[in-house]
Amino acid sequence: MRPAAFDYRAPATLGEALALLAAHPGAKLLAGGQSLVPVLNLRLAAPPLLVDLRRIPELARSVLEHDGALTLGAMTRHRVFERDARVRAAQPLAAAAVPHIAHVAIRNRGTIGGSLCHADPAAEWPAVTLACDAAMTIAGSAGTRTVDAADFFTGLFETAVGTGEILTAVRFPAWPARRRHGFAEVARRHGDFALVGVAAAVDLDERGAVALARIAVFGAADAPVLAQEAAQALVGRRGEGAAREAGRLARARIAPRSDHHASAEYRSELVEVLVRRALGQALGVAPAKAA
Amino acid sequence: MKRIVEVTINGERHELALEPYRSLLDVLRNDVGLTGTKKGCDVGDCGACTVLLDGKPVNSCLVLGVEVGGSEILTIEGLQRGPERLHPLQDAFMRHGAAQCGFCTPGFLMMASALLDENPAPTEEEIRFGIAGNICRCTGYTKIVAAIQAAARDKAEGKA
């Protein structure tokens, strides 16, 4: 198995990379290659040119601000995040999700930006950015713009990154002291793409009741979705009953499709159970290992 | 158009002229003649092609040859410590019968060596998590896990 022939450039600056995209319609960006290279090997795509982003220093740079806000360069490799105790502590939901991404060898190469731009509906990072209300920085010939995660994932393998643009970074807001999280997914084997997964961030008030919740469900639609009604229903509540009701509400609102991995009915069941489990972790009513 | 790539493989410098679309796996096997790295699925599912790129395990089928300029690569051919000295993992795999057909073995050994470099005393769960991206279709993983545990013990006791 071998990909169709393509040319290759590895520019040293973002400006050069943007110029290459402008000059070569159909060129594809190469980040970690862990989704793109299989696609090329299977000849599902045959771009004339790959523009490798690995030599652009600013894309691999991450900044942890004093207040805990974390900006990750788009070329940050999953495993770099996974092995960095400081960034893990700053963003506990992402820290819980990353070990579920494929396997060690894939995580050594695959990048956060690549995962976000590939936008596989069953991928972990898109759901985490949604639950954390992260914002993406996108560079183009006219300058840079910022897009909230809620507006970034526009469809199946589709994002707000336009032709000729490059995702440069993702910024996670500081993690509030009273925020709790839960992460749960079901895959056939650990490291396989999730059949369904849930990433939840829950902010508690000073009495320990829910003030605000963001529940991102992935693998159940063309793109990760926020279970808004379920999140609304949690406000002011605590305990297992609240988690159960949120699970039911999420199930009622999300209509998964069947494919050769799982039936729509099974995925619906998973939406309910995994929302309940993730919220159970966040609300401290279920052991974290239950996922 | 071919690109010139300078890379160190098993301690030896190579200057290779590569078409951009060729995988590191393909280059290792066909240009450098290192056929110990096995070609299984070509899409990153099986782990048979695992090599160490700057000390980190990667699937060489998902890395382009042109991406590795300036890097150091270790393949199964470079793992043993001398002509007559096996790596402790190779020795443990033999003692435990951890290879059946052997096709997956180079990938397992490279992945396990990186695991032990990072974590010299892994638990069974950590070993299973670490090798989750390597598939053996002959038999199972029990002897492979036992061999990795034994190699870790040998290293800790200074036997290897």
Side-chain angles (χ1 to χ4, degrees):
Chain A
M1 214 160 34
R2 206 178 255 196
F6 52 77
D7 201 0
Y8 169 89
R9 302 286 290 277
T13 68
L14 193 58
E16 281 174 64
L18 288 167
L20 282 166
L21 286 184
H24 298 274
K28 289 284 284 178
L29 294 172
L30 173 63
Q34 303 302 284
S35 297
L36 179 60
V37 176
V39 163
L40 297 175
N41 282 350
L42 294 166
R43 297 210 175 195
L44 297 173
L49 172 70
L50 291 196
V51 178
D52 188 348
L53 299 176
R54 78 188 154 94
R55 291 180 58 220
I56 304 174
E58 68 211 78
L59 295 184
R61 197 174 298 144
S62 293
V63 180
L64 180 57
E65 291 161 34
H66 288 301
D67 68 355
L70 177 67
T71 301
L72 296 171
M75 285 292 286
T76 305
R77 301 188 195 270
H78 307 305
R79 189 89 173 135
V80 168
F81 179 96
E82 187 182 0
R83 306 262 305 147
D84 186 333
R86 283 173 66 241
V87 300
R88 280 205 316 271
Q91 294 294 330
L93 178 55
V98 167
H100 291 269
I101 301 170
H103 310 293
V104 171
I106 303 276
R107 292 201 295 280
N108 271 329
R109 286 301 285 173
T111 66
I112 291 165
S115 175
L116 294 174
C117 290
H118 185 58
D120 191 297
E124 286 83 1
W125 274 114
V128 169
T129 60
L130 207 51
C132 293
D133 203 13
M136 284 65 155
T137 304
I138 300 169
S141 51
T144 64
R145 63 197 179 99
T146 302
V147 176
D148 289 342
D151 301 318
F152 186 82
F153 304 100
T154 53
L156 189 64
F157 298 109
E158 285 186 4
T159 70
V161 180
T163 306
E165 291 187 316
I166 299 174
L167 174 72
T168 59
V170 53
R171 183 175 190 277
F172 290 83
W175 186 267
R178 277 199 294 268
R179 176 168 293 175
R180 303 290 178 265
H181 72 278
F183 184 88
E185 73 170 51
V186 166
R188 292 206 154 200
R189 293 163 302 189
H190 185 102
D192 283 5
F193 271 114
L195 297 175
V196 173
V198 174
V202 178
D203 293 342
L204 305 178
D205 63 22
E206 59 277 13
R207 292 170 299 113
V210 174
L212 180 76
R214 291 175 69 87
I215 307 163
V217 180
F218 59 100
D222 283 351
V225 288
L226 283 176
Q228 309 262 25
E229 283 192 358
Q232 276 295 323
L234 281 176
V235 173
R237 300 182 61 190
R238 68 189 88 199
E240 206 190 341
R244 273 182 193 284
E245 191 191 332
R248 282 194 296 272
L249 285 168
R251 179 184 192 149
R253 273 293 169 173
I254 297 170
R257 277 204 290 261
S258 292
D259 61 21
H260 61 286
H261 296 296
S263 67
E265 191 188 356
Y266 181 58
R267 283 204 164 93
S268 280
E269 178 73 16
L270 287 180
V271 169
E272 178 172 348
V273 170
L274 294 176
V275 165
R276 190 173 76 216
R277 280 188 198 165
L279 290 174
Q281 294 167 22
L283 298 173
V285 293
K289 287 292 262 184
Chain B
M1 197 176 78
K2 287 189 178 183
R3 311 270 155 171
I4 303 299
V5 174
E6 285 185 28
V7 58
T8 303
I9 303 169
N10 300 334
E12 213 175 286
R13 303 243 318 147
H14 291 262
E15 196 179 279
L16 305 166
L18 304 177
E19 291 96 349
Y21 52 84
R22 296 185 58 214
S23 69
L24 173 60
L25 170 62
D26 181 26
V27 170
L28 287 171
R29 290 179 57 84
N30 294 307
D31 294 36
V32 192
L34 296 173
T35 53
T37 303
K38 300 305 181 200
K39 179 165 174 148
C41 68
D42 247 354
V43 290
D45 282 341
C46 76
C49 68
T50 305
V51 301
L52 304 192
L53 172 59
D54 293 326
K56 299 185 184 79
V58 299
N59 289 318
S60 59
C61 72
L62 297 189
V63 178
L64 300 175
V66 287
E67 284 185 276
V68 301
S71 301
E72 286 200 19
I73 291 167
L74 189 72
T75 72
I76 186 66
E77 288 88 350
L79 192 66
Q80 68 186 71
R81 292 170 172 186
E84 301 293 325
R85 275 198 73 205
L86 293 177
H87 186 280
L89 277 162
Q90 290 173 310
D91 188 57
F93 267 55
M94 287 173 66
R95 281 187 281 123
H96 285 263
Q100 191 162 320
C101 88
F103 193 86
C104 69
T105 309
F108 269 102
L109 286 167
M110 299 315 290
M111 181 56 76
S113 74
L115 172 71
L116 294 187
D117 286 345
E118 213 172 82
N119 179 359
T123 63
E124 183 184 336
E125 195 185 344
E126 285 167 341
I127 291 171
R128 289 184 179 272
F129 182 74
I131 61 172
N134 294 73
I135 294 176
C136 166
R137 296 291 81 160
C138 286
T139 165
Y141 302 91
T142 305
K143 291 178 176 180
I144 293 171
V145 172
I148 296 170
Q149 285 174 315
R153 271 197 307 274
D154 288 350
K155 274 176 114 172
E157 291 165 11
K159 283 189 207 157

